[in-house]
């Protein structure tokens, strides 16, 4: 590794641009995202946290994009959500239509209700719509009131919140859980416990599975990363 490259890699800085944004720079040059946009965000704290991700990369190791979670979420916000918010809203609404909280296993219904119902009750209290639930295999009929409320809620979120929700919702399999986390009436630990009910139930019956435990740990990290991004992106 050359001395020049070592110096370059250490020179990760945050520059306050004339636009008011804070850009992450390597060796005095702005980081460019895949589509060519500058890696620049509105909050200095978020830019600093993103810069720390880059500083943490050893100078003699090829970096893995998976090791830059805040950078990845920022890139999604800048290059995908900002140009077309509706596409993200539509994707999230599709998750809401098949939210895991609405579907219960007949054999586990009591245990699921004890864990899931406090969440759907709180959602109903916050949003005025109580989601239907079922133990049937067939999809629930669409509830226009719920769909309208999901849409209304998503449209109130800024680009950073939608970017965070774009990680939370698939990680948890639930738009309701993601909304609860962003609105602050649900804790990450509870959300992960609800989302992992099926896997944990299976392991209680058949024993622990290392691969499943790894998957659950990855999901939990995704949730933590998304919530950190969201919190740092607040004004």
């Amino acid at each position: 590794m050359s001395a020049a490259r070592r110096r370059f890699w250490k020179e990760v800085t945050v520059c306050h641009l004339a636009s008011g944004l804070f850009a992450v720079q390597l060796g005095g040059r702005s980081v460019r995202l895949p589509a060519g946009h500058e890696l620049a965000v509105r909050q200095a704290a978020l830019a600093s946290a993103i810069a720390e991700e880059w500083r943490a990369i050893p100078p003699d190791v090829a970096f893995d994009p998976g090791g830059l979670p805040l950078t990845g979420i920022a890139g999604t916000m800048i290059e995908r959500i900002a140009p077309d918010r509706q596409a993200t809203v539509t994707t999230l609404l599709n998750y809401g239509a098949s939210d895991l909280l609405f579907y219960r296993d007949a054999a586990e219904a009591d245990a699921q209700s004890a864990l899931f119902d406090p969440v759907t009750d709180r959602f109903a209290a916050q949003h005025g719509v109580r989601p239907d639930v079922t133990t049937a295999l067939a999809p629930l009929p669409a509830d226009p009131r719920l769909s309208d409320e999901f849409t209304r809620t998503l449209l109130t979120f800024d680009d950073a919140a939608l970017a965070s929700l774009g990680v939370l919702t698939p990680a948890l399999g639930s738009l309701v859980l993601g909304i609860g986390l962003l609105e602050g009436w649900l804790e990450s630990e509870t959300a992960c416990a609800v989302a992992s009910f099926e896997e944990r139930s299976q392991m209680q019956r058949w024993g622990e599975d290392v691969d499943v435990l790894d998957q659950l740990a990855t999901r939990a990290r995704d949730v933590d990363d998304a919530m950190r991004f969201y919190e740092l992106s607040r004004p």
Side-chain angles (χ1 to χ4, degrees):
M1 180 62 60
S2 69
R5 175 155 171 75
R6 284 196 296 271
R7 287 196 301 272
F8 169 81
W9 207 248
K10 288 180 180 179
E11 291 173 1
V12 182
T13 58
V14 173
C15 178
H16 194 188
L17 305 177
S19 64
L21 299 179
F22 295 87
V24 178
Q25 298 187 333
L26 302 181
R29 300 180 64 181
S30 294
V31 174
R32 292 289 172 177
L33 296 167
H37 294 81
E38 202 168 19
L39 177 54
V41 296
R42 294 185 181 280
Q43 287 73 35
L46 178 57
S48 294
I50 293 171
E52 283 302 318
E53 288 187 333
W54 288 85
R55 290 192 188 103
I57 301 171
D60 55 348
V61 175
F63 73 87
D64 174 8
L68 301 167
L70 299 181
T71 300
I73 299 172
T76 297
M77 176 182 71
I78 294 165
E79 296 200 325
R80 293 177 56 188
I81 295 175
D84 187 2
R85 286 171 51 87
Q86 186 56 49
T88 297
V89 169
T90 299
T91 298
L92 292 169
L93 288 173
N94 289 336
Y95 276 101
S98 57
D99 199 293
L100 71 82
L101 295 180
F102 307 162
Y103 293 88
R104 315 289 171 87
D105 184 332
E108 301 275 12
D110 290 343
Q112 285 177 316
S113 294
L115 190 60
F116 293 7
D117 286 355
V119 179
T120 53
D121 288 347
R122 185 60 187 270
F123 178 85
Q126 292 288 127
H127 292 272
V129 181
R130 182 173 297 281
D132 294 328
V133 301
T134 183
T135 57
L137 295 178
L140 282 166
D143 182 345
R145 297 177 308 131
L146 182 61
S147 180
D148 288 347
E149 182 58 22
F150 277 151
T151 301
R152 186 199 67 78
T153 301
L154 293 176
L155 292 178
T156 67
F157 289 151
D158 62 17
D159 291 352
L162 288 178
S164 301
L165 201 57
V167 175
L168 293 171
T169 301
L172 297 168
S174 169
L175 180 57
V176 171
L177 292 176
I179 289 173
L181 287 171
L182 295 195
E183 291 183 339
W185 49 264
L186 186 64
E187 297 294 329
S188 294
E189 185 177 353
T190 300
C192 289
V194 171
S196 63
F197 175 89
E198 181 177 354
E199 290 89 348
R200 291 184 293 106
S201 178
Q202 290 292 325
M203 286 192 291
Q204 286 177 353
R205 185 176 297 115
W206 305 109
E208 288 191 349
D209 184 311
V210 173
D211 289 338
V212 172
L213 290 173
D214 286 345
Q215 291 170 10
L216 296 182
T218 297
R219 287 189 215 166
R221 285 194 299 272
D222 287 345
V223 169
D224 287 343
D225 291 335
M227 288 306 298
R228 185 168 178 238
F229 182 91
Y230 176 70
E231 289 158 4
L232 288 170
S233 71
R234 296 307 85 199

